[in-house]
Amino acid sequence: MRALLGFLADRRMWRRRGAPRAAARAIGGCGVIGLLLARNRQLRRQLRELRGTVEDLADRNWELKEAQERWRSLLETQGDLILRRDGESRITYVNATFCALSGRRHADLLGTDFTLPVLEQGETSLLADGTRVHDQLIATAQGARWIAWREGMVRSGALAQVQSVGRDVTDRVEGKRALALARDQAEAANRAKSRFLAMISHEIRTPLNGILGMADLLLDTALTPEQTTYAGAVRNSGNILLCLIDEILDFSKIEAGRLDLLPQEFDLPALVEQTVELIAPRAQAKSLEIASYVDEGLPRRLLGDMPRLRQVLLNLIGNAVKFTERGAVAVIAEAGAAPQEVRFVVRDTGIGIGPDQQDRIFLEFEQGDSGAGRRFGGTGLGLAISKRIIERMGGKLEVDSRPGEGSSFQFAVTLPAAKANGKIAARPALEGSHVLIVAPTAAAASLVARRLMCWGAATRLVAGVEAAAAALGERPWKAIILDHALGTAACQRLALASSAIERRIVMITPADRHALPTLRAAGCTGYLVKPVRAASLAVRMTAELGLFEHRSDEPGASRSIDIGAAGETLAVLVAEDNEINALLMRFLLERLGHQPTMVTTGDAVVEIWQTAHALERPFDLVLMDVHMPSSDGIAATRRIRSIEAERGWRRTPIVALTADALPEGRELCLAAGMDGFVSKPLDPGQLATTLAILRKQTLAA
């Protein structure tokens, strides 16, 4: 290029050659030069672009190699098994984990149809995206292993392949199997425990039936006061033992998750008042006041599991009496915060419970006074069972207590009103009436005053004789209510001093009935037995005067068996192999006015029952002991039902006599063809009611 430029600049050449020719050549050379220069610049630009492209491709190639290496490293180091197969099931890829588990090299597996031996195949499921999921127990170089597989289709270029990813879940599967085995063993142990409890319950209840039954019969005979005390102690000890057995059985059912609730219609005031009356003798024996109050705004009849509610109330009231040395126990039922909710409260003035003990007392086998020197007996199950029952009903059992200041246990549960309903009681018309209540303590008397105020009366509560005497002239009183806890002499004095008052009523305990003639002579017009029932209070405040006669509806009325309770005389076939229980059953049936025939085996039951039919003098009822030698009550009942069906005989009511408190035993009795059951220890009242109901059903049929 430089030579060319030098040539063009040489003047001598221009002079030597002709100017025109030279000019033309110069112009042509310049054009060529321009073209060459432009081409040169273009080539340089393209070269730079190519160099950039090459560098980009090199970078991308490096990135791809790095990504491929990472991917390969990831697959190779995975704990999961990964392999791919083509359409002919030949392996196209396998990772190091699979190689290690199979005990083969990578090169030996590619292109083969190798599979690990399957020892056990689990269930297979197909997911929504087409993935196949299943478990296999396979034989490997490391022993038998459980592998959870996920298999699906993947694309590799134009070809479709099956990719399998397997995870070793041996520990999980073996853990689940060990857990299932442990669960089965626990369930078997629980079933064994239930069988043991059923057996031991029966074995204990059978002699206990004789103890309690004979004690009841003995108490209904002419005894000296000393003998009455001893027989009563036997009966009370037997009842305590029966409660302990029931608590253990209840706890066993709760542990097994088989605490079933059976809603039924029940009378709320009857539940509360009768439960308090059951505990009242224990409270009155300790000189404790005990009373109940049911809010009149509540429906009278409710739907709920009444036996379980009574069980909870018995536990709470019983504890209140046990842990109270002086003062009172009050039981209140009132409307809760939520609709259809009833709140129950049991208050006492006992020893109280410290904050550190309030959670522990609801635990199983725990008591507030634990240790070798504890003062109070019991299993420590009552509150634990009560807590579980209330929680099962959707409520919560709570305690509010301080040491030395008493305790208050409360719970609220939903109890819908029954269809056929009414208010708690007919409201006496006491508006404008004034009632003076005289009692040394306000615990029970305050609840009586609260009831009277609900009925419209204006009440005044005074504690002593002098205060009462001063209050007599303050206003015209409609009634004066005297608590016999003041003493017989004090009640006589106040009764005489209040002769101008229309109604002069004394509240007494059943043990104080001997004082009634003296109080009547002093001018009392009526009496109320503590704990006071709302219905009795209403009668005393509104009925005609002259109500000083004994009332059978009052607590503490005679426990004697009503001989006519079961209706007409029944011919009863009794199967009972225990000599004492058979003697007890004979006495009870005879006192109810029936004619018992006693046998000791199931075979004898069937034989005598058939003979009676053949002589056209069939039995009206069979009382069948469940556990008997040779042929038990279940087998005997099945034979009787089979014979009735074959010969077209009238169905004979059969009632089980069972000490088995578990539901399974009772269900077995009903399944065998029995019509009901009477639990041991026998309750004479329950026996009489059962006989009457079955007789009525038989006559109706």
Side-chain angles (χ1 to χ4, degrees):
M1 182 63 69
R2 289 179 181 177
L4 178 59
L5 293 174
F7 172 77
L8 293 174
D10 191 354
R11 293 182 179 179
R12 289 178 297 175
M13 181 188 71
W14 285 88
R15 288 193 300 266
R16 194 168 47 246
R17 300 178 181 178
R21 180 184 295 175
R25 290 180 178 178
I27 293 170
C30 289
V32 171
I33 292 169
L35 292 172
L36 291 174
L37 290 172
R39 179 62 176 168
N40 187 39
R41 286 193 299 271
Q42 183 180 3
L43 291 174
R44 287 181 179 178
R45 186 172 57 253
Q46 291 177 349
L47 179 61
R48 286 194 302 270
E49 292 174 354
L50 288 174
R51 285 176 178 173
T53 302
V54 169
E55 290 178 359
D56 290 341
L57 290 174
D59 290 342
R60 291 182 182 179
N61 186 46
W62 181 84
E63 291 175 355
L64 288 173
K65 287 182 178 180
E66 188 179 50
Q68 184 177 12
E69 187 62 29
R70 285 198 305 269
W71 174 79
R72 186 181 300 278
S73 175
L74 179 64
L75 293 181
E76 293 298 331
T77 57
Q78 275 288 316
D80 293 345
L81 288 70
I82 304 175
L83 72 154
R84 289 186 178 182
R85 298 179 185 273
D86 60 17
E88 298 180 1
S89 297
R90 292 190 298 266
I91 297 175
T92 60
Y93 171 79
V94 65
N95 71 342
T97 304
F98 188 91
C99 294
L101 202 63
S102 65
R104 300 195 177 201
R105 296 183 303 170
H106 186 274
D108 296 337
L109 292 172
L110 293 177
T112 68
D113 59 355
F114 172 79
T115 58
L116 292 165
V118 178
L119 303 178
E120 187 176 339
Q121 177 67 49
E123 294 183 1
T124 300
S125 59
L126 194 65
L127 303 183
D129 60 357
T131 302
R132 182 170 171 261
V133 180
H134 63 101
D135 293 349
Q136 285 181 337
L137 177 64
I138 59 176
T140 73
Q142 302 173 11
R145 310 295 294 176
W146 276 99
I147 306 297
W149 292 103
R150 295 177 65 91
E151 299 176 349
M153 299 296 296
V154 296
R155 303 294 301 181
S156 179
L159 300 177
Q161 297 185 358
V162 178
Q163 176 172 284
S164 301
V165 179
R167 176 162 295 179
D168 190 335
V169 293
T170 304
D171 293 341
R172 186 189 72 189
V173 173
E174 290 180 350
K176 288 177 63 176
R177 291 194 168 187
L179 183 62
L181 178 61
R183 181 196 62 208
D184 293 341
Q185 291 174 343
E187 289 178 351
N190 190 58
R191 288 192 295 270
K193 181 185 71 174
S194 297
R195 289 193 298 270
F196 170 77
L197 286 173
M199 179 196 69
I200 200 67
S201 169
H202 178 270
E203 295 302 319
I204 294 175
R205 282 171 177 267
T206 297
L208 189 58
N209 177 61
I211 294 171
L212 292 176
M214 288 301 176
D216 280 334
L217 290 176
L218 186 60
L219 287 169
D220 281 332
T221 62
L223 301 174
T224 66
E226 186 178 9
Q227 292 170 333
T228 300
T229 300
Y230 296 158
V234 171
R235 185 181 64 192
N236 292 338
S237 297
N239 285 327
I240 292 172
L241 178 58
L242 180 61
C243 289
L244 294 178
I245 295 171
D246 289 339
E247 282 187 350
I248 293 173
L249 291 174
D250 276 339
F251 182 68
S252 173
K253 287 186 281 187
I254 290 171
E255 271 194 324
R258 292 155 53 192
L259 181 65
D260 297 324
L261 300 179
L262 301 174
Q264 56 183 305
E265 288 191 18
F266 69 94
D267 189 296
L268 177 62
L271 167 66
V272 175
E273 292 177 343
Q274 290 173 9
T275 304
V276 171
E277 289 168 8
L278 286 173
I279 306 294
R282 289 163 51 188
Q284 292 162 354
K286 298 176 69 175
S287 299
L288 300 177
E289 291 290 328
I290 184 168
S292 64
Y293 176 82
V294 180
D295 189 350
E296 286 193 348
L298 294 170
R300 182 181 185 88
R301 298 194 62 79
L302 302 173
L303 287 175
D305 193 326
M306 187 270 291
R308 291 297 181 188
L309 281 173
R310 181 173 55 195
Q311 180 181 359
V312 172
L313 289 174
L314 281 172
N315 274 325
L316 297 180
I317 302 169
N319 281 346
V321 171
K322 179 164 64 172
F323 294 104
T324 302
E325 295 301 327
R326 56 180 175 273
V329 174
V331 183
I332 299 172
E334 56 192 4
Q340 298 185 330
E341 190 175 73
V342 180
R343 180 172 176 263
F344 295 88
V345 182
V346 178
R347 297 194 183 104
D348 64 65
T349 58
I351 60 175
I353 307 168
D356 57 329
Q357 298 174 334
Q358 291 183 13
D359 291 332
R360 186 162 60 85
I361 60 173
F362 292 108
L363 301 177
E364 295 83 6
F365 306 104
E366 291 285 353
Q367 288 185 318
D369 65 326
S370 58
R374 64 193 182 102
R375 299 162 51 201
F376 306 98
T379 61
L381 285 174
L383 286 178
I385 292 172
S386 298
K387 180 175 181 290
R388 301 282 187 92
I389 291 174
I390 295 305
E391 289 175 347
R392 181 71 177 82
M393 292 181 175
K396 182 179 180 181
L397 180 58
E398 298 176 315
V399 60
D400 180 16
S401 180
R402 292 182 182 179
E405 298 182 11
S407 303
S408 176
F409 286 83
Q410 57 269 338
F411 63 90
V413 291
T414 300
L415 299 172
K419 291 182 178 178
N421 218 318
K423 293 297 181 182
I424 291 300
R427 289 176 57 93
L430 299 181
E431 288 77 5
S433 300
H434 296 274
V435 180
L436 178 63
I437 303 175
V438 189
T441 60
S446 63
L447 294 182
V448 173
R450 182 176 176 182
R451 175 70 63 192
L452 292 171
M453 287 189 290
C454 287
W455 294 339
T459 63
R460 181 177 176 186
L461 178 61
V462 296
V465 176
E466 300 302 328
L472 287 176
E474 292 182 358
R475 59 178 55 87
W477 302 99
K478 176 181 177 63
I480 181 172
I481 299 177
L482 307 173
D483 190 341
H484 188 257
L486 293 165
T488 302
C491 290
Q492 283 181 289
R493 176 183 168 187
L494 289 174
L496 292 171
S498 59
S499 58
I501 299 176
E502 178 185 0
R503 298 175 188 272
R504 300 174 296 280
I505 303 167
V506 62
M507 296 189 298
I508 64 170
T509 64
D512 294 329
R513 287 183 182 275
H514 62 275
L516 286 178
T518 302
L519 295 170
R520 184 178 185 180
C524 290
T525 61
Y527 72 93
L528 291 166
V529 176
K530 296 190 292 186
V532 176
R533 293 184 182 183
S536 299
L537 179 61
V539 169
R540 293 297 187 265
M541 295 300 298
T542 58
E544 295 292 332
L545 297 179
L547 297 176
F548 222 96
E549 71 279 2
H550 175 72
R551 292 176 56 83
S552 61
D553 65 333
E554 294 284 11
S558 174
R559 298 180 63 260
S560 298
I561 302 171
D562 182 4
I563 292 179
E568 62 183 89
T569 298
L570 301 178
V572 184
L573 177 59
V574 182
E576 174 60 74
D577 65 314
N578 183 278
E579 182 179 353
I580 301 299
N581 288 337
L583 180 62
L584 172 63
M585 183 61 70
R586 177 190 292 275
F587 286 161
L588 287 176
L589 290 172
E590 288 177 348
R591 294 191 66 179
L592 287 168
H594 303 307
Q595 297 177 351
T597 300
M598 312 302 295
V599 295
T600 58
T601 67
D603 292 334
V605 171
V606 178
E607 181 181 351
I608 293 178
W609 174 81
Q610 285 183 287
T611 301
H613 264 286
L615 296 175
E616 297 184 352
R617 290 183 296 182
F619 288 99
D620 298 301
L621 175 70
V622 177
L623 292 176
M624 185 81 73
D625 187 15
V626 175
H627 299 280
M628 290 184 293
S630 71
S631 176
D632 63 18
I634 300 295
T637 299
R638 288 173 177 160
R639 289 172 60 190
I640 289 175
R641 295 304 183 215
S642 176
I643 294 171
E644 287 175 339
E646 290 175 1
R647 303 182 184 180
W649 287 353
R650 179 179 61 84
R651 181 184 177 92
T652 303
I654 301 177
V655 176
L657 296 173
T658 176
D660 189 350
L662 296 178
E664 294 83 351
R666 298 184 175 187
E667 291 171 2
L668 188 62
C669 293
L670 297 177
M674 296 187 186
D675 301 283
F677 40 80
V678 175
S679 299
K680 298 178 184 178
L682 287 174
D683 181 345
Q686 180 192 11
L687 177 62
T689 301
T690 301
L691 295 178
I693 292 174
L694 287 174
R695 182 58 177 165
K696 183 178 180 181
Q697 292 175 346
T698 302
L699 293 175

